[in-house]
Amino acid sequence: MDMSFTKEHEAFRREVREWIEKAMPPAMKQKAENGAHFEHHESMEWHKTLYKKGWVAPHWPKEHGGTGWDVTQRHIFNEELASAGAPSLSPFGLSMVAMVIMQFGTDEQKKRYLPKILSGEEVWCQGYSEPNAGSDLASLQLRAESDGDYYVLNGQKTWTTNGQYADWIFVLCRTNSSGKKQDGISFVLVDIKKTPGVEVRPFMNISGQTAFSETFFTNARVPKVNRVGPEHGGWTIAKALLGHERTGIAAVPVSARVIQNAKRIGRETKVGGKRLLDESTFRRKLAALEIRHRSLDMTNLRALADAQAGRAPGPESSILKIRGSEVLQEAYEFAMEAMGHNALGWFDDPPEALPASQQWIASTFNYYRAATIYGGSNEIQRNIISKMILGLPDGAKG
Amino acid sequence: MDFRLTEEQKMLVQSAEQFAKKDSPVTRFRQLRTSPPGWDKALWRKMGELGWLAIPFSQDIGGFGGSLLEVSLVAEQLGRSLVPEPFLASVVLAGMTLAEAGTKDQIEKFLTPMMEGKTSLALAYAEKESRFDPNEIALAAKVSGGDFVLDGEKVWVLNGHAADHVLVAARTSGGHSDKKGITLFLVDGSASGLTRTAVHGMDGQHTGLLKFKGVKVGKDRIVGKADEGLSLLEKALDRGAAIACAEGLGLIRECLQRTVEYLKVRVQFGTPIGSFQALQHRAADMFVETQLAHSMTILAALKGDDKDETERKRAVSAAKVQLAESGWFVTKQAIQLHGGIGCTDEQDVGLFFKRMHALNTLFGDKDWHLGRYSSLPGFEG
């Protein structure tokens, strides 16, 4: 066993770090330093910077614009981006629909969509969840009725992150209502801006940001050539997405930054002339959190080493989702606790009321309540572990 | 980065697993736990013959040249069936310290026969007022002629009741909390003035209560440097903690496996109880905890002997805290999911629960390690 990175990988890390340091504009760095929320246009600006460098899609095959890096290099790259607090890129194009198109799409679809996903010219969002299809995704009801060369879409999607900024949405829709519910689903690409009958309504979540939208389809006509994969074959495609490398879901560097921030608050906050960090209760809580984070990190590295050795990710990645999202939430809970009275504030408060470095903690703390829900809720992940790994029987859901 | 086992390591694990299953199933521990010493000299001898007791020692002194990782892999398998022989006390705590700091003569006389399974060793450090701090040593070693005389008491000494030779942390100078002034002496179990009482533990293992009254020890029995024994002692305890993690990992894996099997066969309301989601999720959480414990056991095994003291302490304390949490969760849920039968002495999960609790206490409990971790250099960021 060997826990260290090779010299080549360490050199690669330095190269990436130096480049990020130069590439991030000062205003972006300032926001990153304060953990502030990045607007969509800022994230796209960063997308384009990475695109110019050729680093926007390291996980893509080289022929489509990937970097040809190995799994560990990609891990290092993501770690460095997150450590620098760079804006995270929207995954819906780069990591989701692009992977589907590469695996299941026609050559025309690859030519039509991939270059613009890579360049950031077209922004994508995801149409999976519906008001009545959350964890039970296969019960989705967005109807797609056949009409010659078109599907006519009627129904609603929800939780469409970035829907208000997107040019395209990929949807799972129902092309057959009889038989097993998983067998009547198709995967279809919809041009949001140019298709009459598609309406996006953003709504505010508890973070105070309009991160999500609802998307309504009313007699929206979509050409059948926009279907990816066979008709009624959408469920297989949805599941195939889960087979991709998933060490990123542990959010290790994201939580690490929050813990560092909590330490900083501990150093800078004075209580009766003493530093908060010198209080033993605070110190021990911090230590406990850091250790939970280290366990997560080690478990993630084991998954990474497996991937590097060529083993496909199995249901074990559910562990990373469960504990990764829990630690992320705990880190924010601890940061809020560290803030004391400042935890009463909100991101629109003036700096004399709330230091800039603490301004966004409450909002993000609220935002990440979703971490244990999105991407397959932690309860669904536990179902996966108990069935696929432990082999416990189906049956009563009581 | 690579966490795969080598072919040799895989074989080691396999043979340790076979040994534990065949030569020492839990039923054997059940028989031995009722009376001291609580383990069997014949089996210890066999372990010596099979080479288990020589794993971490260099080849030039007759060992196998393995590292703490190999010891950890074996300890994990021994933990699965609660093998009561003093592997941890004799090989890891005292043996590895002797190998590191002992003279050639000491190694030949005391370590070689232990490797062969002819003798066993122990490390005595804890005292009634030391709690988990290794520098809290009051047992006095006073110079008398050219030799030393030991007076004082050691408590909860693993294998202290049965060891042929006991490595004793004594104070040769300074006050009882001072970091300097601690010396390690190798004392014969049969030494005149040494009274040993076997104490029956909650986990069914036995430990020694050792009283020293004018015990004479030659200066040739000092292991390492006089007055400078603390760093050796801390290293020994960190290795011990790393191996306690491995033993704990072995037994929680066993608990998880047995509990999942039970959930599949126990029928209530006309269906296996493993079909109930409340219990499935508990089992899933047990699995998550077991995986995290595995990760940190690897970390402790790889860093538990690290030359960088801070790095070593940070890794070992982190692992010990994780094992305390995971071990506690998994073993208590194993009892809960077994229901009433889990609370009986005849069901093994209760034995695992008790051993896990003992491992969590040994070498510093969770609180102590959180305290140590948070006072290490670099913690403040």
Side-chain angles (χ1 to χ4, degrees):
Chain A
M1 285 194 200
D2 182 9
M3 267 181 60
S4 53
F5 289 99
T6 63
K7 271 189 188 136
E8 291 75 24
H9 282 144
E10 289 295 358
F12 174 77
R13 187 187 288 282
R14 282 192 299 277
E15 182 197 343
V16 169
R17 189 173 293 179
E18 280 161 21
W19 180 81
I20 295 172
E21 168 66 25
K22 281 187 201 133
M24 275 174 81
M28 191 180 275
K29 273 190 196 159
Q30 187 59 50
K31 274 195 146 184
E33 170 82 17
N34 291 333
H37 170 76
F38 285 111
E39 301 292 341
H40 175 70
H41 69 87
E42 293 169 305
S43 158
M44 287 316 293
E45 182 193 330
W46 183 239
H47 181 122
K48 282 167 187 163
T49 306
L50 288 166
Y51 172 67
K52 272 184 212 144
K53 174 74 180 165
W55 283 0
V56 77
H59 54 298
W60 285 24
K62 223 174 165 181
E63 78 247 38
H64 293 303
T67 52
W69 294 339
D70 66 22
V71 175
T72 306
Q73 282 176 304
R74 283 173 1 222
H75 169 83
I76 291 171
F77 180 66
N78 289 333
E79 214 170 52
E80 288 304 315
L81 285 176
S83 305
S88 52
L89 303 187
S90 168
F92 306 110
L94 286 169
S95 299
M96 300 181 85
V97 77
M99 309 319 279
V100 166
I101 291 171
M102 281 180 219
Q103 195 177 347
F104 299 96
T106 62
D107 285 343
E108 286 73 32
Q109 286 172 332
K110 287 178 198 167
K111 262 185 241 154
R112 162 64 188 82
Y113 298 108
L114 295 180
K116 292 184 177 179
I117 292 172
L118 195 69
S119 66
E121 194 181 333
E122 287 179 345
V123 174
W124 284 78
C125 65
Q126 178 190 32
Y128 272 22
S129 299
E130 297 179 6
N132 292 314
S135 288
D136 181 13
L137 185 60
S139 68
L140 59 93
Q141 284 169 0
L142 173 66
R143 268 186 300 128
E145 281 167 345
S146 178
D147 182 13
D149 291 338
Y150 287 82
Y151 289 120
V152 182
L153 268 56
N154 278 289
Q156 185 195 342
K157 291 291 175 183
T158 191
W159 316 121
T160 31
T161 307
N162 289 343
Q164 69 270 42
Y165 308 113
D167 303 291
W168 285 82
I169 183 169
F170 56 95
V171 297
L172 290 175
C173 53
R174 183 151 301 285
T175 39
N176 186 3
S177 309
S178 59
K180 213 176 142 200
K181 59 186 180 180
Q182 283 86 353
D183 296 339
I185 294 170
S186 297
F187 191 101
V188 173
L189 315 176
V190 183
D191 186 329
I192 292 186
K193 297 211 167 134
K194 290 185 190 145
T195 310
V198 180
E199 193 199 345
V200 176
R201 291 184 210 153
F203 60 90
M204 191 174 281
N205 75 0
I206 54 175
S207 71
Q209 301 293 310
T210 47
F212 303 118
S213 309
E214 294 172 294
T215 309
F216 296 89
F217 299 83
T218 315
N219 294 322
R221 294 175 69 80
V222 180
K224 282 187 179 167
V225 292
N226 284 15
R227 190 189 67 231
V228 182
E231 189 163 67
H232 315 319
W235 190 247
T236 311
I237 294 179
K239 280 198 301 188
L241 259 185
L242 299 176
H244 291 279
E245 209 273 302
R246 298 213 290 161
T247 56
I249 56 171
V252 169
V254 185
S255 316
R257 269 184 75 86
V258 185
I259 294 170
Q260 287 313 315
N261 204 1
K263 276 190 186 178
R264 176 177 160 187
I265 296 171
R267 289 194 305 271
E268 291 173 357
T269 304
K270 294 282 192 305
V271 188
K274 260 178 64 184
R275 296 185 313 165
L276 175 62
L277 190 56
D278 291 328
E279 286 188 357
S280 75
T281 315
F282 181 85
R283 257 185 123 83
R284 279 178 196 229
K285 274 189 179 175
L286 177 57
L289 175 62
E290 202 169 273
I291 288 168
R292 279 171 76 77
H293 184 267
R294 183 100 195 246
S295 310
L296 173 71
D297 185 21
M298 274 300 291
T299 307
N300 202 40
L301 289 176
R302 282 171 59 210
L304 175 72
D306 271 355
Q308 177 77 43
R311 233 187 100 218
E316 288 82 3
S317 42
S318 290
I319 301 166
L320 303 177
K321 166 69 201 337
I322 293 174
R323 190 48 66 92
S325 55
E326 286 174 354
V327 168
L328 183 57
Q329 291 181 344
E330 286 162 21
Y332 269 104
E333 286 156 21
F334 183 72
M336 287 290 277
E337 214 177 301
M339 284 166 69
H341 272 126
N342 287 356
L344 296 169
W346 201 230
F347 59 81
D348 52 6
D349 292 336
E352 66 262 36
L354 192 60
S357 61
Q358 295 178 26
Q359 216 156 15
W360 283 93
I361 292 176
S363 171
T364 319
F365 156 77
N366 277 281
Y367 176 79
Y368 278 127
R369 295 324 301 171
T372 45
I373 301 166
Y374 60 52
S377 74
N378 287 17
E379 287 70 27
I380 290 292
Q381 304 298 335
R382 289 183 173 94
N383 288 351
I384 293 172
I385 291 174
S386 67
K387 303 242 161 63
M388 316 251 301
I389 300 176
L390 304 178
L392 289 172
D394 269 324
K397 298 266 176 174
Chain B
M1 189 168 339
D2 194 347
F3 295 98
R4 287 173 295 182
L5 298 181
T6 62
E7 285 309 310
E8 289 80 19
Q9 288 166 341
K10 278 184 201 161
M11 274 170 55
L12 183 68
V13 170
Q14 261 174 18
S15 50
E17 189 182 1
Q18 283 308 312
F19 169 80
K21 263 190 198 150
K22 270 197 201 145
D23 290 278
S24 185
V26 178
T27 46
R28 195 180 72 92
F29 166 67
R30 285 183 174 278
Q31 288 156 8
L32 289 167
R33 67 178 167 154
T34 49
S35 58
W39 56 275
D40 175 20
K41 281 194 172 163
L43 194 85
W44 183 247
R45 189 70 197 260
K46 188 171 177 187
M47 288 172 82
E49 283 160 11
L50 289 169
W52 300 134
L53 313 182
I55 291 169
F57 306 114
S58 65
Q59 284 167 341
D60 54 302
I61 59 169
F64 277 82
S67 68
L68 200 61
L69 177 62
E70 278 79 21
V71 179
S72 169
L73 294 172
V74 169
E76 184 186 332
Q77 296 307 323
L78 301 181
R80 295 190 82 134
S81 60
L82 300 168
V83 176
E85 275 62 28
F87 183 76
L88 173 57
S90 191
V91 176
V92 180
L93 293 177
M96 290 182 80
T97 307
L98 254 181
E100 181 182 347
T103 62
K104 196 167 169 277
D105 189 47
Q106 287 172 339
I107 286 171
E108 269 170 27
K109 255 194 195 149
F110 305 110
L111 189 59
T112 306
M114 191 285 290
M115 282 191 243
E116 293 165 357
K118 290 177 187 159
T119 61
S120 72
L121 305 171
L123 171 70
Y125 60 98
E127 300 183 2
K128 279 194 174 139
E129 294 186 11
S130 69
R131 203 169 165 86
F132 301 117
D133 294 338
N135 57 306
E136 289 290 338
I137 302 286
L139 185 140
K142 298 239 162 72
V143 182
S144 162
D147 297 333
F148 290 83
V149 176
L150 272 53
D151 282 287
E153 195 179 42
K154 292 288 174 187
V155 298
W156 309 112
V157 184
L158 299 182
N159 198 40
H161 60 299
D164 298 277
H165 313 285
V166 183
L167 200 53
V168 181
R171 181 150 299 282
T172 35
S173 69
H176 65 88
S177 301
D178 287 349
K179 295 194 165 151
K180 207 171 145 63
I182 296 166
T183 305
L184 301 183
F185 292 92
L186 198 57
V187 180
D188 292 341
S190 58
S192 142
L194 171 59
T195 320
R196 303 198 285 177
T197 310
V199 180
H200 191 202
M202 182 261 273
D203 58 353
Q205 302 228 8
H206 293 75
T207 59
L209 171 62
L210 275 54
K211 289 186 175 164
F212 296 78
K213 239 186 191 166
V215 177
K216 277 194 184 146
V217 188
K219 63 180 179 213
D220 60 330
R221 292 295 191 94
I222 291 177
V223 175
K225 282 187 192 151
D227 284 343
E228 304 288 345
L230 181 63
S231 77
L232 267 182
L233 180 59
E234 284 187 328
K235 279 188 205 175
L237 298 180
D238 277 346
R239 286 187 204 110
I243 298 309
C245 288
E247 188 184 333
L249 173 65
L251 71 84
I252 64 175
R253 281 190 149 168
E254 192 67 23
C255 276
L256 172 65
Q257 191 186 324
R258 288 173 182 227
T259 303
V260 168
E261 287 313 309
Y262 186 74
L263 292 176
K264 288 175 187 170
V265 297
R266 169 72 173 166
V267 173
Q268 288 288 275
F269 305 104
T271 178
I273 60 172
S275 66
F276 300 132
Q277 200 178 37
L279 306 193
Q280 290 180 343
H281 283 196
R282 203 80 57 74
D285 284 335
M286 290 167 75
F287 176 76
V288 171
E289 289 297 338
T290 305
Q291 287 298 312
L292 293 164
H294 187 189
S295 300
M296 294 308 267
T297 298
I298 293 174
L299 179 72
L302 293 177
K303 300 274 186 186
D305 238 347
D306 205 282
K307 286 194 183 70
D308 180 336
E309 183 188 323
T310 304
E311 182 78 4
R312 181 193 86 214
K313 288 181 175 175
R314 188 180 293 129
V316 170
S317 283
K320 196 70 172 42
V321 169
Q322 183 63 48
L323 260 291
E325 285 195 356
S326 299
W328 172 241
F329 181 80
V330 173
T331 55
K332 79 178 176 183
Q333 293 304 340
I335 292 182
Q336 178 69 21
L337 299 194
H338 274 82
I341 195 81
C343 302
T344 64
D345 186 67
E346 71 182 73
Q347 229 301 332
D348 288 347
V349 289
L351 301 179
F352 290 123
F353 173 83
K354 290 192 273 190
R355 182 60 185 161
M356 193 67 233
H357 206 281
L359 292 170
N360 284 348
T361 304
L362 285 167
F363 317 118
D365 64 5
K366 183 177 141 187
D367 274 352
W368 187 84
H369 279 285
L370 281 174
R372 183 172 86 158
Y373 181 96
S374 66
S375 57
L376 289 172
F379 176 73
E380 297 193 351

